[in-house]
Amino acid sequence: MSDLEFGLDTFGDVPEDDSGKPLSHAAAIRQVVDEAVLADELGVDVIALGEHHRPEYSVSTPETVLAGIATRTSRIRLASGVTVLSSDDPVRVFQRFATVDALSNGRAEVILGRGSFTESFPLFGYDLRDYDTLFEEKIELFVKLLDEKPVTWSGTLRAPLDNADVYPKTESGRLNTWVGVGGSPQSVVRTARYGLPLMLAIIGGSPERFAPYTDLYRRAAEQLGTTAHPVGMHSPGFIADTDEEAKELYWPHYRVMRNRIGALRGWPPIRRAEFDAEVEHGSLYIGSPETVARRVAAAIRSLGVGRFDLIYTAGAQPVSARMRAVELYGSTVIPMVRDILAS
């Protein structure tokens, strides 16, 4: 299991200091950089930053923060998680991540997604009625850009390109690119069609229910004649010294975040019993290092994935608790998972 990879993901949730005072957005961004530096020192493979345009999150341009992290780290890979390609320009996304790749000596990777939040569409002048077409056309163009050769392309929602060369080039000749998928079979097949690695966003329910998607990805790649890469998964969680401490640190902030989003999507307020059930049997990996390692290992086994990313922030957890969670993940959880899977 030495080829297994482990990452940490965050949207740059605005945390509290240890006196309970919320940080500014600027301080929250600097806090993410500090957490990435610690993860790098502890041997975590990847730090992935998600793009959001909401007041509770500080990271709206993952690649900008990743460029800052690049200057303070030496080995950890620097990913988005996700870049909302539908409301961005593929050429500019490629250029920005190729720049991060240069600053980090080849450690950049982009995870493309359609976006489960829609604030970026009106913000950047896109019509939500074009939601599906925007992503389909833009990922087609982005895949062409990955060859790092002059591109000729035309679509319906962006100006065409005629033998356009895009700079900077990467030193490796290929920008590491994934597609994040939340549960659409069509998205899984599209990812296989382009021969890109698949990252499953599993944020609720038993992880085993995603096994058909990993099977579909591999079957589709075989039928389409493309490469089926090791599949990744990312799920939320939190680690503290004991199970009870982890749950009590996570629950109040998670409840606020979940109910705020739920109010927009028509969900009822979450009850503590639902939370506890999700921690015990679902896709919230919360507890002591031993508890989290056991559950992460079980998920990896059940889905046969090659990478597990933990979304380690959810709401305004205190800064010291977040740093401790990163420390325990890198120093204890990852080695424990490897030992469990090797036994």
Side-chain angles (χ1 to χ4, degrees):
M1 291 293 177
S2 60
D3 55 344
L4 267 175
E5 296 181 335
F6 295 89
L8 284 167
D9 295 5
T10 181
F11 306 133
D13 306 61
V14 176
E16 297 175 348
D17 63 22
D18 288 345
S19 68
K21 180 183 177 181
L23 270 62
S24 66
H25 285 96
I29 289 170
R30 293 191 291 268
Q31 178 60 33
V32 168
V33 175
D34 288 342
E35 289 159 3
V37 170
L38 178 59
D40 180 61
E41 293 169 352
L42 293 168
V44 177
D45 296 303
V46 187
I47 182 77
L49 309 184
E51 172 192 346
H52 280 290
H53 305 272
R54 296 173 55 85
E56 62 266 38
Y57 303 122
S58 66
V59 177
S60 61
T61 56
E63 57 272 37
T64 308
V65 184
L66 293 171
I69 294 170
T71 66
R72 292 185 54 194
T73 57
S74 61
R75 50 161 304 282
I76 196 168
R77 297 208 308 281
L78 310 171
S80 60
V82 299
T83 291
V84 184
L85 186 65
S86 308
S87 57
D88 210 328
D89 183 81
V91 173
R92 293 297 284 152
V93 171
F94 177 87
Q95 289 177 321
R96 295 194 301 259
F97 276 90
T99 301
V100 175
D101 202 60
L103 290 169
S104 64
N105 291 308
R107 291 184 280 135
E109 62 182 48
V110 56
I111 304 178
L112 305 173
R114 296 193 298 174
S116 60
F117 289 82
T118 58
E119 290 85 359
S120 63
F121 289 81
L123 190 63
F124 300 124
Y126 292 98
D127 193 330
L128 277 169
R129 289 174 295 186
D130 297 324
Y131 184 84
D132 292 323
T133 304
L134 280 166
F135 189 74
E136 188 64 66
E137 290 191 355
K138 290 186 177 186
I139 194 172
E140 179 188 51
L141 173 54
F142 195 86
V143 169
K144 288 180 177 289
L145 294 168
L146 291 176
D147 291 333
E148 302 194 16
K149 297 175 181 178
V151 170
T152 297
W153 175 91
S154 64
T156 63
L157 297 173
R158 186 203 185 279
L161 297 175
D162 182 16
N163 203 38
D165 219 350
V166 175
Y167 304 97
K169 309 293 186 183
T170 64
E171 289 181 321
S172 69
R174 186 82 175 181
L175 182 63
N176 194 12
T177 302
W178 298 63
V179 178
V181 174
S184 162
Q186 294 84 357
S187 296
V188 173
V189 172
R190 181 197 295 115
T191 304
R193 184 169 80 242
Y194 287 120
L196 297 174
L198 174 70
M199 178 64 71
L200 292 170
I202 305 177
I203 59 173
S206 170
E208 288 82 2
R209 68 192 178 91
F210 277 77
Y213 293 100
T214 61
D215 294 340
L216 174 62
Y217 172 70
R218 291 163 184 143
R219 285 189 286 108
E222 182 179 2
Q223 292 174 16
L224 294 166
T226 58
T227 299
H229 302 272
V231 174
M233 64 177 287
H234 84 159
S235 292
F238 201 72
I239 308 155
D241 291 292
T242 67
D243 289 351
E244 195 59 30
E245 182 186 8
K247 287 189 284 188
E248 294 313 310
L249 280 166
Y250 196 85
W251 161 246
H253 305 292
Y254 175 77
R255 178 182 58 194
V256 170
M257 179 198 70
R258 169 64 166 69
N259 288 343
R260 183 183 294 128
I261 295 169
L264 298 173
R265 300 185 179 184
W267 302 340
I270 189 169
R271 295 176 291 111
R272 179 61 190 253
E274 294 175 66
F275 170 77
D276 289 338
E278 195 67 40
V279 170
E280 188 67 27
H281 306 292
S283 293
L284 283 178
Y285 297 84
I286 296 172
S288 67
E290 295 81 4
T291 296
V292 172
R294 173 177 50 80
R295 297 202 59 241
V296 168
I300 290 171
R301 271 202 180 117
S302 66
L303 295 179
V305 297
R307 173 168 149 186
F308 181 93
D309 285 6
L310 182 76
I311 310 168
Y312 69 99
T313 59
Q317 288 107 340
V319 165
S320 60
R322 279 179 33 166
M323 291 292 278
R324 180 63 173 159
V326 172
E327 178 187 358
L328 291 172
Y329 184 72
S331 66
T332 308
V333 172
I334 292 174
M336 280 186 174
V337 174
R338 293 192 187 280
D339 288 345
I340 292 169
L341 293 173
S343 62

